Amino acid sequence: MFRVVGTLRSQAKAPSDPRLSLPPNSKPLPARLVIIPTYNEKENIRDIVTHVFGLQPEFHVLVVDDGSPDGTAAIVKGLQAQWSGRLHILERSGKLGLGTAYITGFKWAIERNYDFIFEMDADFSHDPNDLVRLYDACATGGADMSVGSRYVSGGHVRDWSWDRVMLSYCASLYVRSILWLGVRDTTAGFVCYRRHVLERLALDEIKFVGYAFQIEMKYRTKLAGFKIVEVPITFIDRVKGKSKMSANIFREAIIGVWKMKTITQR
């Protein structure tokens, strides 16, 4: 079951010429790239990329690592020989934030002409198997952006305390009441974009870096007139590693929605 948000207006066509000249006789890039931001994810990164590479249709993975002191980047680079041409890494110096990691990844993907670009966490809170369902929603279901949603019919949260579930749900309700976003899971970070959406949005003008980044991307996508579909998923609390959630990230989301009211689509 999909939940559709908004309507589709005229949209900019993707450029016909490739943005990256491939060497002669090289294998064309597949259509799908999964961006995984990391900071201290050594316990999860090997398993998550291995799982993604076992899916059909074929996905590529771009890890954007913020200088993880636990050696996450070294693990990824050690796996690149096994997954040559499919596993990529961008290393950044210091913890620069989730939003900027995704923006960096989006630009990298656009330059290489990927058609479907995904956001996914490294810690298995997002089931990699659901990448296929998010892809189908965009590739054949008519969506420009598909969102793995906890709060539509069929969506669930596992291993969270009831007060954490209520806090998350009420925060999403708060955002919807202010922005009239039409998306039930406003802070969801399991997303698929068609490339033309990211090409249309002014990525350098994205203001926020935490959960507010996820809200802002959905809001700008809606303002641009693109079609958003929510796909029910089961969100599972991480088993390995430490959560990156902080009071500052939560505060940014609560205050940030009022600042988003000033955004207008150009």
Side-chain angles (χ1 to χ4, degrees), residues 142-166:
D144 297 296
M145 176 188 196
S146 58
V147 178
S149 179
R150 298 163 288 186
Y151 302 132
V152 293
S153 178
H156 302 281
V157 176
R158 186 185 301 168
D159 299 329
W160 273 14
S161 61
W162 70 268
D163 55 333
R164 188 176 176 187
V165 173
M166 286 302 299

Side-chain angles (χ1 to χ4, degrees), residues 50 56 66-67 76 84 100 103 113 116 119 121 128 139 150 175 185 192 209 215 217 230 235 237 240 253 261 263:
T50 300
Q56 290 295 329
D66 273 6
V76 175
S84 179
T100 63
I103 296 298
N113 227 33
F116 300 90
E119 300 178 12
D121 289 351
R150 298 163 288 186
V175 172
D185 198 344
C192 174
V209 298
I215 301 166
M217 288 297 294
E230 292 189 82
F235 182 94
D237 198 17
K240 299 177 182 178
K261 293 281 285 184
I263 296 172

Side-chain angles (χ1 to χ4, degrees), residues 173-188:
L173 186 63
Y174 167 80
V175 172
R176 286 154 48 198
S177 67
I178 295 171
L179 297 180
W180 291 91
L181 189 52
V183 176
R184 290 186 180 275
D185 198 344
T186 58
T187 61

Side-chain angles (χ1 to χ4, degrees), residues 8 11 16 27 46 49 68 75 77 80 106 129 131 144 147 154 168 172 185 207 210-211 222 232-233 247 251 257:
L8 179 63
Q11 53 202 30
S16 57
K27 188 176 180 180
R46 183 187 303 272
V49 299
S68 297
I75 294 172
K77 287 186 283 189
Q80 284 184 301
F106 293 158
N129 293 314
L131 286 167
D144 297 296
V147 178
S168 174
S172 190
D185 198 344
K207 303 177 185 301
Y211 282 151
K222 179 189 175 184
I233 64 163
R251 189 180 305 112
V257 292

